[in-house]
Short mmCIF file of all heavy atoms in Angstrom, two decimals:
data_model
loop_
_atom_site.label_atom_id
_atom_site.label_comp_id
_atom_site.label_asym_id
_atom_site.label_seq_id
_atom_site.Cartn_x
_atom_site.Cartn_y
_atom_site.Cartn_z
N GLY A 1 -167.58 99.77 93.78
CA GLY A 1 -168.33 100.16 94.97
C GLY A 1 -168.59 99.01 95.91
O GLY A 1 -168.55 99.19 97.14
N ASP A 2 -168.87 97.82 95.37
CA ASP A 2 -169.08 96.65 96.22
C ASP A 2 -167.80 96.27 96.95
O ASP A 2 -167.82 95.93 98.15
CB ASP A 2 -169.54 95.46 95.37
CG ASP A 2 -171.05 95.39 95.25
OD1 ASP A 2 -171.74 96.33 95.70
OD2 ASP A 2 -171.55 94.39 94.69
N LEU A 3 -166.68 96.33 96.25
CA LEU A 3 -165.40 95.93 96.86
C LEU A 3 -164.94 96.96 97.89
O LEU A 3 -164.38 96.59 98.94
CB LEU A 3 -164.35 95.77 95.76
CG LEU A 3 -164.68 94.76 94.66
CD1 LEU A 3 -163.58 94.74 93.61
CD2 LEU A 3 -164.88 93.36 95.24
N GLU A 4 -165.19 98.23 97.62
CA GLU A 4 -164.73 99.28 98.52
C GLU A 4 -165.49 99.27 99.84
O GLU A 4 -164.99 99.76 100.86
CB GLU A 4 -164.83 100.64 97.83
CG GLU A 4 -163.76 100.82 96.76
CD GLU A 4 -164.10 101.87 95.72
OE1 GLU A 4 -165.12 102.58 95.91
OE2 GLU A 4 -163.37 101.97 94.71
N ARG A 5 -166.71 98.72 99.84
CA ARG A 5 -167.43 98.57 101.11
C ARG A 5 -166.62 97.78 102.12
O ARG A 5 -166.72 97.99 103.33
CB ARG A 5 -168.76 97.85 100.88
CG ARG A 5 -169.78 98.64 100.12
CD ARG A 5 -171.04 97.82 99.96
NE ARG A 5 -172.06 98.58 99.26
CZ ARG A 5 -173.29 98.17 99.06
NH1 ARG A 5 -173.66 96.97 99.51
NH2 ARG A 5 -174.16 98.91 98.42
N PHE A 6 -165.86 96.84 101.61
CA PHE A 6 -165.06 95.97 102.47
C PHE A 6 -163.59 96.39 102.47
O PHE A 6 -162.72 95.62 102.86
CB PHE A 6 -165.18 94.52 102.02
CG PHE A 6 -166.59 93.99 102.05
CD1 PHE A 6 -167.35 93.93 100.89
CD2 PHE A 6 -167.17 93.60 103.24
CE1 PHE A 6 -168.66 93.45 100.92
CE2 PHE A 6 -168.47 93.12 103.28
CZ PHE A 6 -169.22 93.05 102.12
N ASP A 7 -163.34 97.63 101.99
CA ASP A 7 -161.98 98.15 101.87
C ASP A 7 -161.10 97.22 101.04
O ASP A 7 -159.88 97.14 101.26
CB ASP A 7 -161.34 98.37 103.25
CG ASP A 7 -162.09 99.41 104.06
OD1 ASP A 7 -162.57 100.39 103.46
OD2 ASP A 7 -162.21 99.23 105.29
N ARG A 8 -161.74 96.49 100.10
CA ARG A 8 -161.03 95.53 99.24
C ARG A 8 -160.19 94.56 100.07
O ARG A 8 -159.11 94.13 99.65
CB ARG A 8 -160.16 96.25 98.21
CG ARG A 8 -160.97 97.12 97.24
CD ARG A 8 -160.07 97.82 96.25
NE ARG A 8 -160.85 98.63 95.31
CZ ARG A 8 -161.24 98.21 94.10
NH1 ARG A 8 -160.91 96.99 93.70
NH2 ARG A 8 -161.93 99.01 93.31
N ASN A 9 -160.70 94.20 101.23
CA ASN A 9 -159.96 93.39 102.20
C ASN A 9 -160.69 92.07 102.42
O ASN A 9 -161.84 92.06 102.86
CB ASN A 9 -159.84 94.19 103.51
CG ASN A 9 -159.00 93.48 104.55
OD1 ASN A 9 -159.37 92.42 105.01
ND2 ASN A 9 -157.87 94.08 104.89
N SER A 10 -160.02 90.97 102.15
CA SER A 10 -160.67 89.66 102.26
C SER A 10 -161.04 89.33 103.71
O SER A 10 -162.04 88.67 103.95
CB SER A 10 -159.75 88.57 101.69
OG SER A 10 -158.53 88.52 102.40
N LYS A 11 -160.25 89.81 104.66
CA LYS A 11 -160.58 89.55 106.07
C LYS A 11 -161.90 90.23 106.43
O LYS A 11 -162.73 89.64 107.15
CB LYS A 11 -159.46 90.08 106.96
CG LYS A 11 -159.71 89.97 108.45
CD LYS A 11 -159.72 88.52 108.91
CE LYS A 11 -159.55 88.40 110.42
NZ LYS A 11 -160.46 89.22 111.22
N ASN A 12 -162.12 91.43 105.93
CA ASN A 12 -163.38 92.11 106.19
C ASN A 12 -164.56 91.34 105.58
O ASN A 12 -165.64 91.27 106.17
CB ASN A 12 -163.35 93.53 105.63
CG ASN A 12 -162.38 94.42 106.38
OD1 ASN A 12 -161.97 94.10 107.50
ND2 ASN A 12 -162.02 95.54 105.77
N MET A 13 -164.35 90.77 104.40
CA MET A 13 -165.40 89.96 103.76
C MET A 13 -165.70 88.72 104.59
O MET A 13 -166.86 88.38 104.81
CB MET A 13 -164.96 89.57 102.34
CG MET A 13 -164.82 90.73 101.39
SD MET A 13 -164.25 90.19 99.76
CE MET A 13 -163.98 91.78 98.96
N GLU A 14 -164.66 88.05 105.03
CA GLU A 14 -164.84 86.85 105.85
C GLU A 14 -165.56 87.18 107.15
O GLU A 14 -166.46 86.43 107.57
CB GLU A 14 -163.47 86.22 106.15
CG GLU A 14 -162.77 85.63 104.93
CD GLU A 14 -161.34 85.24 105.23
OE1 GLU A 14 -160.88 85.48 106.38
OE2 GLU A 14 -160.67 84.72 104.32
N ASP A 15 -165.18 88.29 107.78
CA ASP A 15 -165.84 88.69 109.03
C ASP A 15 -167.31 88.99 108.80
O ASP A 15 -168.17 88.61 109.60
CB ASP A 15 -165.14 89.93 109.61
CG ASP A 15 -163.76 89.62 110.16
OD1 ASP A 15 -163.44 88.42 110.36
OD2 ASP A 15 -163.00 90.57 110.39
N PHE A 16 -167.63 89.68 107.69
CA PHE A 16 -169.02 90.01 107.38
C PHE A 16 -169.84 88.73 107.22
O PHE A 16 -170.95 88.62 107.77
CB PHE A 16 -169.07 90.84 106.10
CG PHE A 16 -170.45 91.01 105.54
CD1 PHE A 16 -171.32 91.96 106.06
CD2 PHE A 16 -170.89 90.22 104.48
CE1 PHE A 16 -172.60 92.12 105.55
CE2 PHE A 16 -172.17 90.36 103.97
CZ PHE A 16 -173.02 91.31 104.50
N LEU A 17 -169.33 87.77 106.50
CA LEU A 17 -170.06 86.52 106.30
C LEU A 17 -170.26 85.81 107.63
O LEU A 17 -171.38 85.37 107.96
CB LEU A 17 -169.30 85.61 105.33
CG LEU A 17 -169.21 86.10 103.88
CD1 LEU A 17 -168.26 85.19 103.08
CD2 LEU A 17 -170.58 86.14 103.22
N ARG A 18 -169.21 85.68 108.41
CA ARG A 18 -169.30 84.95 109.67
C ARG A 18 -170.26 85.62 110.64
O ARG A 18 -171.11 84.95 111.27
CB ARG A 18 -167.91 84.83 110.31
CG ARG A 18 -167.88 83.97 111.57
CD ARG A 18 -166.52 83.92 112.22
NE ARG A 18 -166.11 85.23 112.72
CZ ARG A 18 -165.23 86.02 112.12
NH1 ARG A 18 -164.65 85.64 110.98
NH2 ARG A 18 -164.90 87.18 112.64
N GLN A 19 -170.18 86.93 110.73
CA GLN A 19 -171.03 87.66 111.68
C GLN A 19 -172.50 87.60 111.33
O GLN A 19 -173.37 87.78 112.19
CB GLN A 19 -170.56 89.12 111.76
CG GLN A 19 -169.20 89.29 112.41
CD GLN A 19 -168.58 90.65 112.14
OE1 GLN A 19 -169.21 91.54 111.56
NE2 GLN A 19 -167.34 90.83 112.55
N ASN A 20 -172.80 87.31 110.07
CA ASN A 20 -174.20 87.30 109.61
C ASN A 20 -174.71 85.90 109.30
O ASN A 20 -175.80 85.76 108.73
CB ASN A 20 -174.34 88.21 108.39
CG ASN A 20 -174.20 89.68 108.74
OD1 ASN A 20 -175.12 90.28 109.30
ND2 ASN A 20 -173.05 90.26 108.46
N GLY A 21 -173.95 84.89 109.69
CA GLY A 21 -174.40 83.52 109.49
C GLY A 21 -174.47 83.09 108.04
O GLY A 21 -175.32 82.29 107.65
N LEU A 22 -173.58 83.63 107.21
CA LEU A 22 -173.54 83.33 105.78
C LEU A 22 -172.31 82.51 105.45
O LEU A 22 -171.26 82.66 106.07
CB LEU A 22 -173.53 84.64 104.97
CG LEU A 22 -174.72 85.57 105.22
CD1 LEU A 22 -174.44 86.97 104.68
CD2 LEU A 22 -175.98 85.00 104.57
N GLN A 23 -172.44 81.66 104.44
CA GLN A 23 -171.35 80.75 104.10
C GLN A 23 -170.53 81.18 102.89
O GLN A 23 -169.52 80.56 102.57
CB GLN A 23 -171.88 79.33 103.85
CG GLN A 23 -172.22 78.57 105.12
CD GLN A 23 -173.54 79.02 105.71
OE1 GLN A 23 -174.57 78.99 105.05
NE2 GLN A 23 -173.52 79.43 106.97
N GLY A 24 -170.98 82.20 102.16
CA GLY A 24 -170.22 82.62 100.99
C GLY A 24 -170.98 83.58 100.13
O GLY A 24 -172.07 84.07 100.49
N PHE A 25 -170.39 83.84 98.94
CA PHE A 25 -170.94 84.82 98.00
C PHE A 25 -171.40 84.15 96.71
O PHE A 25 -170.81 83.15 96.27
CB PHE A 25 -169.87 85.85 97.62
CG PHE A 25 -169.45 86.76 98.73
CD1 PHE A 25 -168.14 86.75 99.20
CD2 PHE A 25 -170.33 87.67 99.29
CE1 PHE A 25 -167.72 87.61 100.20
CE2 PHE A 25 -169.93 88.53 100.30
CZ PHE A 25 -168.62 88.50 100.76
N GLU A 26 -172.43 84.75 96.10
CA GLU A 26 -172.72 84.53 94.68
C GLU A 26 -172.25 85.78 93.96
O GLU A 26 -172.74 86.88 94.24
CB GLU A 26 -174.21 84.29 94.46
CG GLU A 26 -174.56 84.05 92.99
CD GLU A 26 -176.06 83.90 92.78
OE1 GLU A 26 -176.63 82.87 93.23
OE2 GLU A 26 -176.67 84.82 92.18
N MET A 27 -171.31 85.62 93.06
CA MET A 27 -170.62 86.77 92.45
C MET A 27 -171.09 87.00 91.02
O MET A 27 -171.31 86.07 90.26
CB MET A 27 -169.11 86.50 92.44
CG MET A 27 -168.28 87.61 91.78
SD MET A 27 -166.55 87.15 91.53
CE MET A 27 -166.70 86.00 90.14
N ILE A 28 -171.20 88.28 90.68
CA ILE A 28 -171.37 88.68 89.28
C ILE A 28 -170.17 89.53 88.90
O ILE A 28 -169.70 90.35 89.71
CB ILE A 28 -172.70 89.42 89.05
CG1 ILE A 28 -172.93 89.66 87.55
CG2 ILE A 28 -172.75 90.74 89.82
CD1 ILE A 28 -174.34 90.11 87.21
N GLN A 29 -169.64 89.32 87.69
CA GLN A 29 -168.45 90.04 87.26
C GLN A 29 -168.85 91.36 86.58
O GLN A 29 -169.54 91.34 85.57
CB GLN A 29 -167.64 89.21 86.26
CG GLN A 29 -167.00 87.98 86.86
CD GLN A 29 -166.06 87.32 85.87
OE1 GLN A 29 -164.91 87.73 85.72
NE2 GLN A 29 -166.57 86.30 85.20
N TYR A 30 -168.41 92.45 87.16
CA TYR A 30 -168.51 93.75 86.51
C TYR A 30 -167.16 94.02 85.84
O TYR A 30 -167.09 94.39 84.67
CB TYR A 30 -168.84 94.84 87.53
CG TYR A 30 -168.83 96.24 86.97
CD1 TYR A 30 -169.96 96.73 86.31
CD2 TYR A 30 -167.72 97.06 87.10
CE1 TYR A 30 -169.96 98.03 85.78
CE2 TYR A 30 -167.71 98.34 86.57
CZ TYR A 30 -168.82 98.82 85.92
OH TYR A 30 -168.82 100.09 85.40
N GLU A 31 -166.10 93.84 86.60
CA GLU A 31 -164.75 93.80 86.06
C GLU A 31 -164.26 92.37 86.17
O GLU A 31 -164.70 91.62 87.05
CB GLU A 31 -163.83 94.75 86.83
CG GLU A 31 -164.23 96.21 86.72
CD GLU A 31 -163.34 97.12 87.54
OE1 GLU A 31 -162.47 96.60 88.27
OE2 GLU A 31 -163.52 98.35 87.44
N PRO A 32 -163.35 91.93 85.28
CA PRO A 32 -162.88 90.55 85.33
C PRO A 32 -162.35 90.18 86.71
O PRO A 32 -161.56 90.92 87.32
CB PRO A 32 -161.77 90.51 84.27
CG PRO A 32 -162.14 91.60 83.31
CD PRO A 32 -162.75 92.68 84.15
N TRP A 33 -162.80 89.03 87.22
CA TRP A 33 -162.45 88.61 88.57
C TRP A 33 -160.98 88.21 88.68
O TRP A 33 -160.42 87.58 87.79
CB TRP A 33 -163.30 87.41 88.98
CG TRP A 33 -162.87 86.80 90.29
CD1 TRP A 33 -163.23 87.20 91.53
CD2 TRP A 33 -161.98 85.68 90.46
NE1 TRP A 33 -162.63 86.40 92.49
CE2 TRP A 33 -161.86 85.46 91.85
CE3 TRP A 33 -161.29 84.85 89.58
CZ2 TRP A 33 -161.06 84.44 92.37
CZ3 TRP A 33 -160.48 83.84 90.09
CH2 TRP A 33 -160.38 83.65 91.49
N GLU A 34 -160.40 88.61 89.81
CA GLU A 34 -159.09 88.10 90.23
C GLU A 34 -159.19 87.81 91.71
O GLU A 34 -159.96 88.43 92.44
CB GLU A 34 -157.98 89.12 89.94
CG GLU A 34 -157.77 89.38 88.45
CD GLU A 34 -156.65 90.38 88.19
OE1 GLU A 34 -155.85 90.63 89.12
OE2 GLU A 34 -156.58 90.91 87.08
N ASP A 35 -158.38 86.88 92.18
CA ASP A 35 -158.53 86.38 93.55
C ASP A 35 -158.35 87.47 94.59
O ASP A 35 -158.95 87.41 95.67
CB ASP A 35 -157.53 85.24 93.80
CG ASP A 35 -157.80 84.52 95.11
OD1 ASP A 35 -158.80 83.78 95.17
OD2 ASP A 35 -157.02 84.71 96.07
N HIS A 36 -157.56 88.49 94.28
CA HIS A 36 -157.34 89.55 95.27
C HIS A 36 -158.60 90.40 95.46
O HIS A 36 -158.72 91.12 96.45
CB HIS A 36 -156.15 90.43 94.88
CG HIS A 36 -156.38 91.24 93.64
ND1 HIS A 36 -157.05 92.44 93.63
CD2 HIS A 36 -156.03 91.01 92.36
CE1 HIS A 36 -157.10 92.92 92.41
NE2 HIS A 36 -156.49 92.07 91.61
N MET A 37 -159.54 90.34 94.51
CA MET A 37 -160.78 91.11 94.64
C MET A 37 -161.70 90.44 95.66
O MET A 37 -162.12 91.05 96.64
CB MET A 37 -161.51 91.18 93.29
CG MET A 37 -160.81 91.96 92.21
SD MET A 37 -161.79 91.83 90.68
CE MET A 37 -161.06 93.15 89.72
N ILE A 38 -162.06 89.20 95.37
CA ILE A 38 -162.90 88.39 96.24
C ILE A 38 -162.25 87.01 96.27
O ILE A 38 -162.15 86.35 95.23
CB ILE A 38 -164.34 88.27 95.70
CG1 ILE A 38 -164.96 89.65 95.45
CG2 ILE A 38 -165.22 87.46 96.67
CD1 ILE A 38 -166.23 89.61 94.61
N PRO A 39 -161.79 86.55 97.40
CA PRO A 39 -161.10 85.25 97.43
C PRO A 39 -161.99 84.14 96.89
O PRO A 39 -163.18 84.05 97.22
CB PRO A 39 -160.81 85.05 98.92
CG PRO A 39 -160.81 86.42 99.50
CD PRO A 39 -161.82 87.19 98.72
N GLY A 40 -161.40 83.29 96.05
CA GLY A 40 -162.15 82.17 95.50
C GLY A 40 -162.75 81.28 96.56
O GLY A 40 -163.81 80.68 96.35
N SER A 41 -162.11 81.22 97.71
CA SER A 41 -162.62 80.37 98.79
C SER A 41 -163.97 80.83 99.31
O SER A 41 -164.70 80.06 99.95
CB SER A 41 -161.62 80.35 99.95
OG SER A 41 -161.41 81.67 100.45
#
């Protein structure tokens, strides 16, 4: 559900952070993380 909010799209995640003055995420793993889910950057 968290990933689908951003259409599982890293560009959408980056835009959300930039538009809200945020520098990144603190992540909790529900399913094992892979870079395509949330970019490590």
Side-chain angles (χ1 to χ4, degrees):
D2 270 7
L3 302 177
E4 287 159 8
R5 291 180 178 185
F6 300 100
D7 297 324
R8 297 180 179 265
N9 184 295
S10 61
K11 176 67 163 51
N12 292 343
M13 295 178 187
E14 292 170 358
D15 289 345
F16 169 80
L17 293 172
R18 185 183 65 256
Q19 291 164 7
N20 289 285
L22 302 165
Q23 283 77 56
F25 292 117
E26 180 183 290
M27 178 190 74
I28 188 167
Q29 293 188 82
Y30 175 83
E31 296 178 355
W33 172 85
E34 295 181 16
D35 190 72
H36 67 83
M37 294 177 165
I38 306 166
S41 59

